[in-house]
Amino acid sequence: MSLSDQAFYLMAFIAFTTSVAFTSMVIAAVPTLSAMGRAAVSLSKLADTAREELPGTMAAIRLSGMEISDLTLELSDLSQEIADGVNKSAKAVQAAKAGIWQIGSLARQQTMSMIQERASLPVISFSLQPVVSGAARKTSHAVGQATKTIMNIINQGEMSSENNDDSGTDRLEM
């Protein structure tokens, strides 16, 4: 064989081998290309579903966020109102305590003045027991009156705060 024939056969062998390799590659690529086509169709369906569902879902998430924000503000306002109520109650208790101390002091002063008044009276033939029981009765009466007065003040304070909450006006009832 001549050199040109050998070159021709070599070229023919290379061309045949290349065509067989290319054909087998195309045959092997057909299932891959088919799978890629199915994946593209699935991706298209997923994109369509996302395009349809995503705006509604995002709107619902935004609405939920706004509701949570509103709820947070309402809870903040409520906690502030509760704190104000507790402060007002503490002030009312302090005022009642101060009133009780004043009434106790007043009752003690009146009792002492009655005892001193009775002590300065001349000794009469009756015993000291009716004098002490009379002073105790008057003291008890004074303490009872003071208790009623404090309860009226507290009740008026509660009614006044309820009236303020209901109508926004101050009314004092006695």
Side-chain angles (χ1 to χ4, degrees):
M1 279 198 178
S2 71
L3 188 57
S4 64
D5 286 339
Q6 285 180 353
F8 174 74
Y9 287 127
L10 181 63
M11 290 298 247
F13 177 73
I14 290 175
F16 177 75
T17 306
T18 304
S19 63
V20 168
F22 181 73
T23 305
S24 58
M25 184 182 82
V26 168
I27 290 172
V30 168
T32 303
L33 291 174
S34 175
M36 288 177 68
R38 287 191 304 269
V41 169
S42 294
L43 184 61
S44 173
K45 288 180 182 178
L46 179 63
D48 289 342
T49 303
R51 194 172 26 253
E52 291 173 7
E53 298 294 327
L54 194 59
T57 303
M58 293 307 292
I61 289 172
R62 266 192 306 271
L63 181 62
S64 296
M66 288 189 305
E67 289 175 352
I68 289 171
S69 177
D70 290 346
L71 180 61
T72 302
L73 289 174
E74 287 179 19
L75 287 175
S76 175
D77 292 344
L78 182 61
S79 67
Q80 184 62 38
E81 288 176 11
I82 289 172
D84 291 344
V86 168
N87 288 338
K88 287 180 182 178
S89 296
K91 287 179 183 177
V93 167
Q94 288 175 351
K97 184 177 178 181
I100 289 171
W101 279 106
Q102 287 177 350
I103 290 173
S105 174
L106 180 64
R108 185 175 62 244
Q109 288 173 356
Q110 287 180 351
T111 303
M112 292 304 287
S113 68
M114 282 190 274
I115 290 173
Q116 288 173 356
E117 179 183 317
R118 299 290 177 167
S120 66
L121 291 176
V123 177
I124 304 177
S125 62
F126 60 90
S127 76
L128 190 59
Q129 186 177 6
V131 173
V132 173
S133 67
R137 219 175 329 167
K138 286 183 181 181
T139 303
S140 174
H141 180 69
V143 169
Q145 290 296 325
T147 303
K148 286 181 185 178
T149 304
I150 288 173
M151 293 307 292
N152 286 337
I153 290 171
I154 290 173
N155 287 335
Q156 287 175 359
E158 289 175 358
M159 294 174 84
S160 174
S161 67
E162 288 175 4
N163 288 340
N164 286 343
D165 291 342
D166 293 342
S167 65
T169 61
D170 261 347
R171 281 192 266 172
L172 294 176
E173 298 175 6
M174 292 197 184

